[in-house]
């Protein structure tokens, strides 16, 4: 009945899809604001925006803000059901791709093109070091696969590899990372507990809040962390891999002191238009592993 009640439910339960009207009466947030909050909690869920005053600009803005699709009122029910089915199929496919990436992270990098051969050589060299790494590339270029491969080729390969998406809501991000204690009883075990001596991958690190950046800097300097609400610290040793679409130093997208501490080696991950010779083999691999 309102954006507030919808978001409250969304935080408590798991849904397959959201139908979201742009014009919400008697609500604190309009549809676009609610969409941003939904994406900050779970950017993978498909959201279909609905509006009775639809136009091309509204539809484009919806997609830019993270919606899967847009439909104008009054709509045909068959069309809406078709869009819902396509959205859920897309979500299932995304999950299968993620599973494939995790299963195949130890497999070879497809490197038939000049740019991917350069990438392969750089990955093989940098994996043997313990340096922190920044992967630069557009969405869909394969940064998560490269991060997994670097970890699997490193001396930390027998330890955990975990990724955290910095687009998540700040409170959730912090709890996921640090965990939570109450009266010296562990309520939530965080990623830092699981990742000790392993590798952590910060996806979209440029979207991390300044407050959390300060906490990351502190744990890197002190080599220890505190769970939220804890009195005692835990020793920590980890390698940091991060990703972003742009060079963090040039764009000043991260605190300078944190950048200096991380001292990233930069690896550029090329788009498919720069590695066309790889496409046939990639299609074969994805077809066998995802659609079988």
């Amino acid at each position: 009945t309102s954006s507030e009640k919808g978001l409250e439910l969304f935080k408590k339960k798991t849904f397959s899809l959201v139908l979201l009207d742009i014009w919400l009466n008697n609500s604190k947030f309009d549809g676009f604001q609610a969409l941003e909050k939904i994406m900050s909690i779970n950017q993978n869920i498909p959201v279909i925006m609905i509006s009775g005053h639809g136009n091309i600009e509204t539809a484009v803005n919806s997609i830019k803000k993270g919606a899967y699709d847009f439909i104008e009122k009054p709509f045909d029910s068959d069309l809406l059901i078709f869009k819902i089915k396509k959205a859920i199929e897309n979500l299932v496919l995304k999950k299968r791709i993620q599973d494939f990436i995790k299963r195949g992270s130890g497999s070879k990098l497809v490197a038939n093109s000049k740019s991917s051969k350069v990438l392969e050589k750089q990955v093989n060299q940098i994996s043997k070091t313990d340096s922190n790494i920044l992967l630069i590339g557009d969405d869909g270029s394969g940064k998560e696969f490269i991060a997994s491969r670097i970890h699997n080729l490193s001396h930390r390969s027998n330890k955990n590899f975990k990724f955290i998406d910095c687009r998540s809501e700040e409170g959730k991000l912090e709890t996921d990372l640090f965990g939570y204690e109450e009266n010296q009883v562990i309520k939530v075990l965080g990623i830092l507990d699981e990742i000790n001596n392993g590798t952590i991958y910060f996806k979209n690190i440029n979207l991390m809040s300044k407050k959390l950046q300060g906490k990351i800097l502190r744990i890197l300097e002190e080599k220890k962390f505190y769970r939220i609400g804890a009195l005692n610290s835990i020793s920590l040793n980890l390698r940091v891999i991060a990703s972003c679409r742009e060079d963090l130093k040039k764009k000043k997208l991260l605190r300078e002191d944190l950048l200096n501490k991380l001292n990233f080696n930069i690896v550029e991950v090329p788009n498919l238009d720069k590695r066309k010779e790889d496409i046939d083999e990639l299609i074969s691999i994805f077809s066998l592993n995802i659609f079988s």
Side-chain angles (χ1 to χ4, degrees):
T1 55
S2 69
S3 60
E4 299 95 301
K5 288 185 179 179
L7 289 166
E8 187 179 335
L9 272 172
F10 188 76
K11 289 177 182 178
K12 290 178 180 177
K13 297 184 179 181
T14 301
F15 295 92
S16 301
L17 178 138
V18 176
L19 295 173
L20 181 58
D21 203 317
I22 290 174
W23 305 104
L24 297 173
N25 295 324
N26 305 314
S27 290
K28 183 178 179 181
F29 308 111
D30 64 24
F32 284 131
Q33 292 170 320
L35 175 64
E36 287 180 4
K37 292 191 174 294
I38 288 168
M39 290 293 101
S40 73
I41 299 166
N42 180 1
Q43 69 275 4
N44 293 319
I45 192 164
V47 178
I48 296 177
M49 303 295 285
I50 301 173
S51 175
H53 309 278
N55 55 44
I56 295 297
E57 187 180 353
T58 306
V60 169
N61 283 338
S62 298
I63 305 303
K64 278 185 177 178
K65 290 178 182 292
Y68 172 78
D69 206 343
F70 173 88
I71 192 167
E72 184 181 355
K73 291 188 293 189
F75 51 78
D76 178 78
S77 58
D78 288 338
L79 177 61
L80 178 61
I81 290 168
F82 171 77
K83 285 179 178 283
I84 289 170
K85 284 181 177 177
K86 294 299 289 183
I88 292 174
E89 284 172 9
N90 182 265
L91 178 63
V92 171
L93 183 59
K94 276 185 177 179
K95 286 179 178 177
R96 294 184 75 176
I97 290 171
Q98 290 299 318
D99 289 342
F100 165 63
I101 288 171
K102 288 171 184 174
R103 291 196 315 269
S105 59
S107 62
K108 75 181 184 72
L109 172 68
V110 175
N112 302 314
S113 64
K114 184 178 178 180
S115 60
S116 55
K117 283 176 182 174
V118 170
L119 175 63
E120 182 181 41
K121 184 178 179 181
Q122 195 174 6
V123 165
N124 289 339
Q125 288 175 341
I126 212 164
S127 299
K128 307 307 177 187
T129 71
D130 210 27
S131 60
N132 297 320
I133 298 163
L134 176 66
L135 303 174
I136 299 176
D138 287 340
D139 293 341
S141 57
K143 298 186 294 295
E144 187 176 332
F145 176 87
I146 297 299
S148 299
R149 182 159 176 78
I150 289 169
H151 171 73
N152 286 334
L153 291 173
S154 74
H155 70 87
R156 296 177 185 262
S157 59
N158 61 336
K159 303 297 181 182
N160 279 339
F161 171 84
K162 293 282 185 180
F163 94 92
I164 190 160
D165 194 332
C166 300
R167 283 184 297 190
S168 299
E169 192 177 46
E170 186 177 336
K172 180 179 183 300
L173 193 63
E174 195 169 341
T175 304
D176 287 347
L177 196 59
F178 290 91
Y180 174 67
E181 275 188 29
E182 190 175 316
N183 299 323
Q184 296 185 307
V185 176
I186 299 172
K187 298 292 185 180
V188 177
L189 202 63
I191 287 175
L192 291 178
D193 278 292
E194 301 175 39
I195 205 69
N196 217 339
N197 298 309
T199 306
I200 190 164
Y201 170 44
F202 289 112
K203 184 178 179 182
N204 303 305
I205 194 172
N206 55 301
L207 300 181
M208 185 184 289
S209 71
K210 292 291 190 292
K211 177 186 172 185
L212 192 52
Q213 287 180 38
K215 292 191 173 186
I216 297 298
L217 176 63
R218 183 179 175 185
I219 66 173
L220 291 174
E221 286 178 339
E222 298 180 356
K223 296 187 185 301
K224 64 181 181 180
F225 74 97
Y226 291 83
R227 296 190 194 99
I228 297 169
L231 299 174
N232 300 315
S233 64
I234 301 164
S235 296
L236 183 68
N237 178 286
L238 54 78
R239 182 186 204 177
V240 176
I241 301 177
S243 69
C244 178
R245 295 185 66 176
E246 302 170 283
D247 191 318
L248 294 169
K249 283 189 175 179
K250 288 181 181 176
K251 297 287 183 176
K252 297 184 178 178
L253 298 174
L254 217 62
R255 285 174 52 147
E256 193 171 344
D257 50 2
L258 179 57
L259 270 173
N260 291 336
K261 184 66 184 176
L262 288 165
N263 191 26
F264 282 126
N265 275 293
I266 293 175
V267 175
E268 293 191 18
V269 183
N271 291 341
L272 274 179
D273 61 355
K274 293 180 181 177
R275 45 182 304 203
K276 293 177 182 176
E277 297 87 344
D278 301 336
I279 292 176
D280 285 347
E281 189 174 345
L282 287 169
I283 288 172
S284 298
I285 292 170
F286 274 76
S287 298
L288 285 170
N289 286 277
I290 296 169
F291 298 104
S292 58

